[in-house]
Amino acid sequence: MSAMSPTVPRIFEAKLSPPSVAHTQVLRTAIGDAIAGTAARLVLVRAPAGFGKTTAMAQALQRLDAQGTATAWLTLDRADNDMSRFVICLSEAVLRLGLEAPRGNAPFDAVAALAAHEAPFALFLDEFEVVHEPAVLGLVREIVEHMPRGGRLVIGSRSLPDLGLGRLRARGQLLEIDTDRLRFSLEETGAFLGQRAMPALSAERLDQLHRKTEGWVAAIWLASMALERPGVAVDFVERFSGSDRAVAEYLAEDVLAHQPGAIRDFLLRTSILRQVNASVCHALHPHGDSAAILEQLAASNLFLTPIAGQGDGEAHWRYHSLFADFLRAQLARERPDELARLHLAASGWYEAQGRPVPAIDHAIEGGDHPLALTLLDTWAEHFLEQGRMRMLARWFAAIPDAQLRQHPFLQLIALWAECFTHGPWDAMRRLEASDCVNSPIPEVRACAQTLYPLLWAMQDRYDEAYEAGRACLSRLPTGLAFADGALLNAMANILSVMGDRHASQRLLDAARSQQGQGDRTFNRMYTESCEGMLDLQAGRLRQATARFRIAVDSTHAVTYNHSHGNAWAGVLYTGVVYEANQMLKAEHLLNVYLPLARDVGLPDHMILSHVMRSRIAFHAGDIDAALQALTELEYLGHARQLPRVVAGAKLERSRMLLLQGNGPAARDELLRADDPVLWERERRQRLPAHDLDYLALAKARWEIAFGDPRAALAVLDAELHAATAAARERRALKLRVLRALALQRAGDLTAAVAEIGAVLQTASQEGFMRLILDEGAGVGRLLQRYAAAAQEAPAGRGDPILAEYLQRLLHAAGPLAAPEADAPATGGTEEPLTRKEIRVLQLLAEGYSNSAMAEKLFVSDSTVRTHLRNINMKLDAKSRTQAVAIARKLGVIR
């Protein structure tokens, strides 16, 4: 077979081009009116195969185009479950709405671009039923959630997509076009048949055909082809009944049986192709004139849908989906022995064209696993380096283990793909079953051993990972470049956790030097992520942000935005976005990365992502969603036997209860999180999820709010000394924020203001926001005191960076009661009013009842009651009326 050079995956023009609207089609005017006239964010066109979804959508797109509305089209396929591929396809489609492409190498964020687009537009996604990847679904939910006025997303699907349709329906933001609306009316059936070259049916026969097909477009279409043939009996319509798929198969078989032999042979042979052109068809049907047959089929409007060309000068088509399904089933029934040969021919053609992905797909679909393995021998390491783990995992899952065992290096690549898609536990079981560690090939043994440190670390067993990794480093190089780089990065991360940051840095330098040649994109992501974590612990937020951004972009540079689907770097990047108080962007990124982190099972990433989701929801006033995120995190910890994940959920639940003023419940959660073995390990190790959230700090926070602030100061001073000695500057900064709050609570306001001033001087240089703001209303009052003191001291206004930073913090803290000028703070537990709580106050002032507010806000009655309790607590109000009066006095509402 001819050799192929690695190429960047192409975006097929066919995916971005809507099907042509032929003059022979019946205009679905009512459906077009509905789509063009709706103000809904999402239009869902849902029905089984053969109901004309794609045609109706294409006509609606043409109509919107004629009205001057910008439109774009994207036909999905199963490969779009790869988040990277989906994002690049989506970005290309969005650019066709007329949005300006970013200059230079700047990334393009399609979701943000859509949300900010002011002109009317419609984005069409067809064949959405193939999408099942949670991260892709989350990104589409994000698009819908932030759809601007004048924008709409039109989705065609055979099944009900998991896009939160219930909430959209309740808000009036969903237009559903279902099977009943897609069925042809009697008039449309007559119009369709009238455009065909067939004898006219009597009104009685027409009515009978319409009733028997129940307006199912595919059945009517196939019946019309049968009726076009000369000599068809007048009682044809009576010879079949029902309207399910059996009708279509009966009619398709009838139509196919009456095609000339050459045409029938051509249709069956080429049915395995997702797209057809003369060249690829010739590879499968070498004894006929494929170009002439395609032109004949296209001219008769029989089975083909034209699609835009690929820039190769050839015409391209695809078969109607219903008919293609039938053809493939018929081929399998009639010529099972030919399937493998046809797929082999297709695979060979794609290989010769330098397109390894469809070449491997066809080899696997045809059951030719030896061919697939031969191709994978050439290409698997390249795809591994690119980080295309899900695609590799899908391929290897389809290949029998017995055959895979004959390719030891491919076994290892399969294990790497398994690790980064299904988690370390499944990968560990496969590694033990593979016997690669006992392979007679030294390179295979060495590569297999390099998996253990990563797998132990991903299972939160860092001591074992450290011991295994030290032995593996002595065996480098292994013979597989990816394994060498991954080991260096894994051990750098492990050494960082074990507290040896200098040794960690040396390994990262070695990993980076290895990436100088060849395509090392995945390991480059890994290296930048690990070094970014070192920067973050050292308090270098800006440098960490730059590294995490490079990491998420590295797998597919330039054309990918910051949500291409890599869980390892993605959660870390989301963390710094959240830290910068970019809540909407962080929420968008979590929709992409949280499901991936959950699937892979990285303990720190699971904790970080779920805690961020909970905090974002709490900040927005959605208490139910905040608690749900923590409940899910706790469940995952129990299910995967990860005590640290369970404890992380309890710590965050305690913090939330503390901010709500519920001291006893907050203390109870701390007691439940108090696992001595776990927290002793945390003191020895630098676990990313517990850099700022650990038991000793949480207990001190509780003492500040409800107990003895002087006792909290003693604990904080000891923790601060340890953090400073270990160069954990980010942790030290958080401890100093709590120290300032303890001083404020103890009544030493001068010392409290001085302490927070020192914190702000440092934090302003790096841009820390949530590290301070997440401590609630107590820190908001402290910021007010500092701002007042700065106004009285001219020297305090000398630093413009600090002044601007302070204003951003005060704005983000929200409306608070002004602190007493000379009295110590006594409560310190109120959280600033959230946007949702301010909205509840506005509705309360307008006289809404609890149930009316619940309906207005699309939440439950219990959520409204929770909001009201929080409002009364924060405003120190005893009744609804008093709460409104205090809010008006503070200027929160009018």
Side-chain angles (χ1 to χ4, degrees), residues 527-858:
T527 303
E528 295 297 340
S529 297
C530 291
E531 192 147 6
M533 286 191 285
L534 290 176
D535 286 330
L536 194 59
Q537 289 182 0
R540 298 187 291 269
L541 177 61
R542 297 189 189 281
Q543 182 66 29
T545 301
R547 291 196 188 280
F548 294 148
R549 185 183 293 118
I550 291 170
V552 296
D553 287 340
S554 65
T555 306
H556 298 283
V558 183
T559 52
Y560 282 64
N561 65 19
H562 301 316
S563 57
H564 71 74
N566 186 288
W568 188 283
V571 171
L572 300 174
Y573 178 66
T574 305
V576 294
V577 170
Y578 173 82
E579 177 58 52
N581 202 38
Q582 299 177 41
M583 305 296 257
L584 288 177
K585 184 174 182 180
E587 184 179 16
H588 153 57
L589 292 169
L590 282 174
N591 283 337
V592 174
Y593 295 124
L594 186 148
L596 296 172
R598 180 183 59 216
D599 290 348
V600 176
L602 302 167
D604 287 289
H605 289 62
M606 284 195 295
I607 295 170
L608 290 168
S609 58
H610 283 82
V611 166
M612 278 189 285
R613 170 159 285 179
S614 178
R615 291 186 181 185
I616 291 170
F618 186 83
H619 177 75
D622 193 342
I623 308 301
D624 292 343
L627 289 171
Q628 181 180 346
L630 298 180
T631 300
E632 179 182 321
L633 178 62
E634 187 171 359
Y635 169 80
L636 288 170
H638 284 301
R640 298 178 183 179
Q641 298 182 342
L642 293 170
R644 187 159 65 89
V645 173
V646 176
K650 292 175 179 176
L651 276 190
E652 183 59 20
R653 192 180 293 116
S654 173
R655 192 191 75 90
M656 184 190 306
L657 291 164
L658 180 148
L659 291 174
Q660 291 178 299
N662 193 339
R667 182 180 54 202
D668 289 344
E669 285 294 330
L670 286 179
L671 290 173
R672 284 193 283 270
D674 194 350
D675 179 343
V677 174
L678 188 159
W679 297 114
E680 188 279 329
R681 178 163 76 93
E682 183 276 326
R683 296 194 73 81
R684 291 188 293 105
Q685 298 177 349
R686 296 189 178 192
L687 301 165
H690 301 300
D691 192 32
L692 302 184
D693 294 302
Y694 60 103
L695 187 65
L697 184 148
K699 286 182 174 179
R701 181 187 285 126
W702 190 93
E703 288 292 339
I704 294 169
F706 303 109
D708 182 355
R710 294 292 178 186
L713 278 169
V715 173
L716 292 170
D717 285 343
E719 290 292 320
L720 183 58
H721 176 76
T724 303
R728 302 182 72 169
E729 300 302 333
R730 178 173 174 241
R731 174 178 279 196
L733 203 60
K734 172 62 101 172
L735 291 166
R736 290 170 69 186
V737 172
L738 289 174
R739 193 173 188 282
L741 289 171
L743 290 166
Q744 177 178 247
R745 176 77 194 287
D748 192 348
L749 299 184
T750 301
V753 169
E755 185 74 41
I756 199 66
V759 168
L760 297 177
Q761 287 283 353
T762 301
S764 64
Q765 300 302 313
E766 294 293 335
F768 286 102
M769 294 284 288
R770 296 313 309 181
L771 179 143
I772 296 170
L773 293 169
D774 279 347
E775 295 306 320
V779 84
R781 285 192 298 276
L782 193 50
L783 291 171
Q784 287 182 336
R785 287 193 168 95
Y786 177 81
Q791 288 294 326
E792 296 172 4
R797 297 194 296 269
D799 185 348
I801 295 177
L802 176 59
E804 186 272 338
Y805 172 70
L806 178 60
Q807 288 306 308
R808 284 194 289 124
L809 283 172
L810 288 168
H811 177 75
L816 292 164
E820 296 294 332
D822 53 5
T826 57
T829 63
E830 302 92 340
E831 175 75 359
L833 291 169
T834 65
R835 291 192 298 272
K836 187 65 69 68
E837 287 164 355
I838 293 172
R839 179 61 177 146
V840 168
L841 275 168
Q842 291 169 337
L843 296 175
L844 204 58
E846 295 172 17
Y848 278 76
S849 66
N850 283 13
S851 58
M853 283 191 283
E855 184 176 349
K856 186 83 171 175
L857 297 172
F858 302 103

Side-chain angles (χ1 to χ4, degrees), residues 492 500-510 512 531 534:
D500 193 344
R501 64 183 187 278
H502 298 298
S504 175
Q505 185 65 64
R506 286 195 296 272
L507 289 181
L508 290 174
D509 292 341
R512 187 173 282 108
E531 192 147 6
L534 290 176

